[in-house]
Amino acid sequence: MKIRLLLADDHAIVRRGLQVFLATQSDIELVGEAVTGQEAVDKAAALLPDVVLMDLNMPILNGIEATKCIKLSHPEVKVIVLTSFSDQDHVLPAIRAGAKGYLLKDIEPEELVHSIRRVYQGQVELHPEAASQLMDMVAHPEETTAPSEGAAVGFEELTKRELDVLRLISAGNSNKEIGDILYISEKTVKTHVSHILDKLGLSDRTQAAIYAIKHGLK
């Protein structure tokens, strides 16, 4: 089965270069392109791609807002940010919006393809500079804003089992691994994860892990 990819970038030369390279990949199918953030949202809804490769600096709706809209409507669609910006003002909002990857445009084409495959498989891909920004956030939480407006709700809203699941999420465990550790089904783990996200006002596991680490959940 091919990875169905939507490309969102307002620069024709970038889109053309990626078109040519992606055409050489037998396991990736470019199903559509978008030149504005709003078009990316609309095409994600119409095409339901597996992965969206999203630029941040786009007209009408920027990449962060477009990512947020896509994840709210279609949480199963994975978004990888591909941008020239590596500062905290871009990295953190993109991750909070639900991006599963944050890569810079100087990435080697082969590594970009590897990252697309890994994100499709459920992993998180971060450029070293983006990872550094997240580490700074964890080390100096007082210098950053809360993950989202709803995240003001504290851990006291979570049940003991939900706290156990959140700890294991922050440790990097998959749903299957969490189920094995806690002796519960993977379906039950997914239910707990959904409740955790709802109670903390977060949109995905990445945000949950960052929230747990930032607030010192042990």
Side-chain angles (χ1 to χ4, degrees), residues 70-87:
I70 291 171
K71 295 300 293 183
L72 284 173
S73 300
H74 307 285
E76 74 282 3
V77 175
K78 298 175 175 65
V79 178
I80 300 174
V81 168
L82 183 64
T83 183
S84 301
F85 303 105
S86 61
D87 58 282

PDB file of all heavy atoms in Angstrom, residues 70-87:
ATOM      1  N   ILE A  70      -6.748  20.766  10.177  1.00  0.00           N
ATOM      2  CA  ILE A  70      -6.711  19.395   9.655  1.00  0.00           C
ATOM      3  C   ILE A  70      -6.784  18.378  10.785  1.00  0.00           C
ATOM      4  O   ILE A  70      -7.536  17.408  10.720  1.00  0.00           O
ATOM      5  CB  ILE A  70      -5.435  19.182   8.808  1.00  0.00           C
ATOM      6  CG1 ILE A  70      -5.522  19.991   7.502  1.00  0.00           C
ATOM      7  CG2 ILE A  70      -5.231  17.696   8.499  1.00  0.00           C
ATOM      8  CD1 ILE A  70      -4.231  20.021   6.723  1.00  0.00           C
ATOM      9  N   LYS A  71      -6.014  18.610  11.843  1.00  0.00           N
ATOM     10  CA  LYS A  71      -5.984  17.646  12.949  1.00  0.00           C
ATOM     11  C   LYS A  71      -7.306  17.611  13.716  1.00  0.00           C
ATOM     12  O   LYS A  71      -7.704  16.560  14.223  1.00  0.00           O
ATOM     13  CB  LYS A  71      -4.834  17.969  13.899  1.00  0.00           C
ATOM     14  CG  LYS A  71      -3.449  17.802  13.282  1.00  0.00           C
ATOM     15  CD  LYS A  71      -3.206  16.384  12.814  1.00  0.00           C
ATOM     16  CE  LYS A  71      -3.143  15.402  13.963  1.00  0.00           C
ATOM     17  NZ  LYS A  71      -2.824  14.015  13.497  1.00  0.00           N
ATOM     18  N   LEU A  72      -7.979  18.744  13.798  1.00  0.00           N
ATOM     19  CA  LEU A  72      -9.267  18.768  14.488  1.00  0.00           C
ATOM     20  C   LEU A  72     -10.319  17.985  13.714  1.00  0.00           C
ATOM     21  O   LEU A  72     -11.127  17.264  14.298  1.00  0.00           O
ATOM     22  CB  LEU A  72      -9.734  20.218  14.684  1.00  0.00           C
ATOM     23  CG  LEU A  72      -9.051  21.017  15.791  1.00  0.00           C
ATOM     24  CD1 LEU A  72      -9.485  22.466  15.751  1.00  0.00           C
ATOM     25  CD2 LEU A  72      -9.366  20.411  17.164  1.00  0.00           C
ATOM     26  N   SER A  73     -10.309  18.132  12.391  1.00  0.00           N
ATOM     27  CA  SER A  73     -11.311  17.469  11.560  1.00  0.00           C
ATOM     28  C   SER A  73     -10.942  16.039  11.202  1.00  0.00           C
ATOM     29  O   SER A  73     -11.813  15.180  11.083  1.00  0.00           O
ATOM     30  CB  SER A  73     -11.540  18.272  10.269  1.00  0.00           C
ATOM     31  OG  SER A  73     -11.983  19.568  10.542  1.00  0.00           O
ATOM     32  N   HIS A  74      -9.643  15.802  11.039  1.00  0.00           N
ATOM     33  CA  HIS A  74      -9.183  14.483  10.589  1.00  0.00           C
ATOM     34  C   HIS A  74      -7.935  14.092  11.384  1.00  0.00           C
ATOM     35  O   HIS A  74      -6.817  14.157  10.866  1.00  0.00           O
ATOM     36  CB  HIS A  74      -8.892  14.507   9.089  1.00  0.00           C
ATOM     37  CG  HIS A  74     -10.026  15.014   8.260  1.00  0.00           C
ATOM     38  ND1 HIS A  74     -11.146  14.260   7.998  1.00  0.00           N
ATOM     39  CD2 HIS A  74     -10.228  16.213   7.672  1.00  0.00           C
ATOM     40  CE1 HIS A  74     -11.995  14.966   7.267  1.00  0.00           C
ATOM     41  NE2 HIS A  74     -11.462  16.142   7.054  1.00  0.00           N
ATOM     42  N   PRO A  75      -8.109  13.698  12.632  1.00  0.00           N
ATOM     43  CA  PRO A  75      -6.956  13.410  13.500  1.00  0.00           C
ATOM     44  C   PRO A  75      -6.065  12.282  12.992  1.00  0.00           C
ATOM     45  O   PRO A  75      -4.904  12.183  13.389  1.00  0.00           O
ATOM     46  CB  PRO A  75      -7.606  13.044  14.841  1.00  0.00           C
ATOM     47  CG  PRO A  75      -9.023  12.697  14.515  1.00  0.00           C
ATOM     48  CD  PRO A  75      -9.391  13.527  13.338  1.00  0.00           C
ATOM     49  N   GLU A  76      -6.604  11.437  12.107  1.00  0.00           N
ATOM     50  CA  GLU A  76      -5.798  10.330  11.582  1.00  0.00           C
ATOM     51  C   GLU A  76      -4.775  10.786  10.537  1.00  0.00           C
ATOM     52  O   GLU A  76      -3.818  10.064  10.240  1.00  0.00           O
ATOM     53  CB  GLU A  76      -6.709   9.252  10.978  1.00  0.00           C
ATOM     54  CG  GLU A  76      -7.346   9.613   9.637  1.00  0.00           C
ATOM     55  CD  GLU A  76      -8.550  10.548   9.739  1.00  0.00           C
ATOM     56  OE1 GLU A  76      -8.886  10.977  10.862  1.00  0.00           O
ATOM     57  OE2 GLU A  76      -9.156  10.827   8.694  1.00  0.00           O
ATOM     58  N   VAL A  77      -4.974  11.979   9.978  1.00  0.00           N
ATOM     59  CA  VAL A  77      -4.034  12.508   8.980  1.00  0.00           C
ATOM     60  C   VAL A  77      -2.799  13.038   9.702  1.00  0.00           C
ATOM     61  O   VAL A  77      -2.902  13.838  10.631  1.00  0.00           O
ATOM     62  CB  VAL A  77      -4.687  13.630   8.147  1.00  0.00           C
ATOM     63  CG1 VAL A  77      -3.664  14.247   7.193  1.00  0.00           C
ATOM     64  CG2 VAL A  77      -5.877  13.086   7.357  1.00  0.00           C
ATOM     65  N   LYS A  78      -1.638  12.609   9.276  1.00  0.00           N
ATOM     66  CA  LYS A  78      -0.390  13.020   9.914  1.00  0.00           C
ATOM     67  C   LYS A  78       0.214  14.199   9.142  1.00  0.00           C
ATOM     68  O   LYS A  78       0.269  14.179   7.920  1.00  0.00           O
ATOM     69  CB  LYS A  78       0.589  11.845   9.980  1.00  0.00           C
ATOM     70  CG  LYS A  78       0.068  10.678  10.816  1.00  0.00           C
ATOM     71  CD  LYS A  78       0.989   9.492  10.760  1.00  0.00           C
ATOM     72  CE  LYS A  78       0.521   8.386  11.698  1.00  0.00           C
ATOM     73  NZ  LYS A  78      -0.785   7.819  11.283  1.00  0.00           N
ATOM     74  N   VAL A  79       0.663  15.205   9.891  1.00  0.00           N
ATOM     75  CA  VAL A  79       1.224  16.408   9.278  1.00  0.00           C
ATOM     76  C   VAL A  79       2.712  16.513   9.601  1.00  0.00           C
ATOM     77  O   VAL A  79       3.114  16.382  10.756  1.00  0.00           O
ATOM     78  CB  VAL A  79       0.499  17.677   9.773  1.00  0.00           C
ATOM     79  CG1 VAL A  79       1.134  18.927   9.153  1.00  0.00           C
ATOM     80  CG2 VAL A  79      -0.994  17.610   9.434  1.00  0.00           C
ATOM     81  N   ILE A  80       3.501  16.736   8.556  1.00  0.00           N
ATOM     82  CA  ILE A  80       4.926  17.019   8.717  1.00  0.00           C
ATOM     83  C   ILE A  80       5.163  18.446   8.256  1.00  0.00           C
ATOM     84  O   ILE A  80       4.854  18.797   7.117  1.00  0.00           O
ATOM     85  CB  ILE A  80       5.800  16.077   7.872  1.00  0.00           C
ATOM     86  CG1 ILE A  80       5.576  14.620   8.264  1.00  0.00           C
ATOM     87  CG2 ILE A  80       7.280  16.449   8.021  1.00  0.00           C
ATOM     88  CD1 ILE A  80       6.314  13.630   7.355  1.00  0.00           C
ATOM     89  N   VAL A  81       5.679  19.273   9.129  1.00  0.00           N
ATOM     90  CA  VAL A  81       6.040  20.639   8.750  1.00  0.00           C
ATOM     91  C   VAL A  81       7.390  20.608   8.036  1.00  0.00           C
ATOM     92  O   VAL A  81       8.341  19.996   8.512  1.00  0.00           O
ATOM     93  CB  VAL A  81       6.113  21.551   9.992  1.00  0.00           C
ATOM     94  CG1 VAL A  81       6.765  22.881   9.647  1.00  0.00           C
ATOM     95  CG2 VAL A  81       4.721  21.766  10.567  1.00  0.00           C
ATOM     96  N   LEU A  82       7.449  21.256   6.873  1.00  0.00           N
ATOM     97  CA  LEU A  82       8.693  21.401   6.123  1.00  0.00           C
ATOM     98  C   LEU A  82       8.875  22.885   5.871  1.00  0.00           C
ATOM     99  O   LEU A  82       8.148  23.480   5.081  1.00  0.00           O
ATOM    100  CB  LEU A  82       8.635  20.626   4.805  1.00  0.00           C
ATOM    101  CG  LEU A  82       9.911  20.647   3.958  1.00  0.00           C
ATOM    102  CD1 LEU A  82      11.064  19.959   4.700  1.00  0.00           C
ATOM    103  CD2 LEU A  82       9.678  19.986   2.609  1.00  0.00           C
ATOM    104  N   THR A  83       9.829  23.499   6.575  1.00  0.00           N
ATOM    105  CA  THR A  83       9.923  24.945   6.590  1.00  0.00           C
ATOM    106  C   THR A  83      11.370  25.404   6.672  1.00  0.00           C
ATOM    107  O   THR A  83      12.292  24.588   6.787  1.00  0.00           O
ATOM    108  CB  THR A  83       9.124  25.496   7.795  1.00  0.00           C
ATOM    109  OG1 THR A  83       9.148  26.930   7.786  1.00  0.00           O
ATOM    110  CG2 THR A  83       9.713  24.992   9.108  1.00  0.00           C
ATOM    111  N   SER A  84      11.558  26.726   6.631  1.00  0.00           N
ATOM    112  CA  SER A  84      12.892  27.313   6.790  1.00  0.00           C
ATOM    113  C   SER A  84      13.087  27.855   8.200  1.00  0.00           C
ATOM    114  O   SER A  84      14.185  28.296   8.543  1.00  0.00           O
ATOM    115  CB  SER A  84      13.087  28.457   5.782  1.00  0.00           C
ATOM    116  OG  SER A  84      12.933  28.000   4.461  1.00  0.00           O
ATOM    117  N   PHE A  85      12.025  27.832   9.016  1.00  0.00           N
ATOM    118  CA  PHE A  85      12.072  28.425  10.347  1.00  0.00           C
ATOM    119  C   PHE A  85      12.375  27.371  11.410  1.00  0.00           C
ATOM    120  O   PHE A  85      11.731  26.327  11.442  1.00  0.00           O
ATOM    121  CB  PHE A  85      10.746  29.103  10.683  1.00  0.00           C
ATOM    122  CG  PHE A  85      10.331  30.155   9.704  1.00  0.00           C
ATOM    123  CD1 PHE A  85       9.315  29.915   8.781  1.00  0.00           C
ATOM    124  CD2 PHE A  85      10.971  31.381   9.674  1.00  0.00           C
ATOM    125  CE1 PHE A  85       8.936  30.879   7.872  1.00  0.00           C
ATOM    126  CE2 PHE A  85      10.598  32.359   8.773  1.00  0.00           C
ATOM    127  CZ  PHE A  85       9.576  32.107   7.864  1.00  0.00           C
ATOM    128  N   SER A  86      13.319  27.666  12.299  1.00  0.00           N
ATOM    129  CA  SER A  86      13.640  26.725  13.374  1.00  0.00           C
ATOM    130  C   SER A  86      13.574  27.380  14.747  1.00  0.00           C
ATOM    131  O   SER A  86      14.059  26.824  15.722  1.00  0.00           O
ATOM    132  CB  SER A  86      15.044  26.145  13.157  1.00  0.00           C
ATOM    133  OG  SER A  86      16.026  27.175  13.166  1.00  0.00           O
ATOM    134  N   ASP A  87      12.974  28.566  14.846  1.00  0.00           N
ATOM    135  CA  ASP A  87      12.907  29.268  16.125  1.00  0.00           C
ATOM    136  C   ASP A  87      11.707  28.787  16.934  1.00  0.00           C
ATOM    137  O   ASP A  87      10.773  28.172  16.417  1.00  0.00           O
ATOM    138  CB  ASP A  87      12.806  30.780  15.892  1.00  0.00           C
ATOM    139  CG  ASP A  87      11.594  31.143  15.048  1.00  0.00           C
ATOM    140  OD1 ASP A  87      11.662  30.959  13.810  1.00  0.00           O
ATOM    141  OD2 ASP A  87      10.576  31.570  15.611  1.00  0.00           O
TER     142      ASP A  87
END
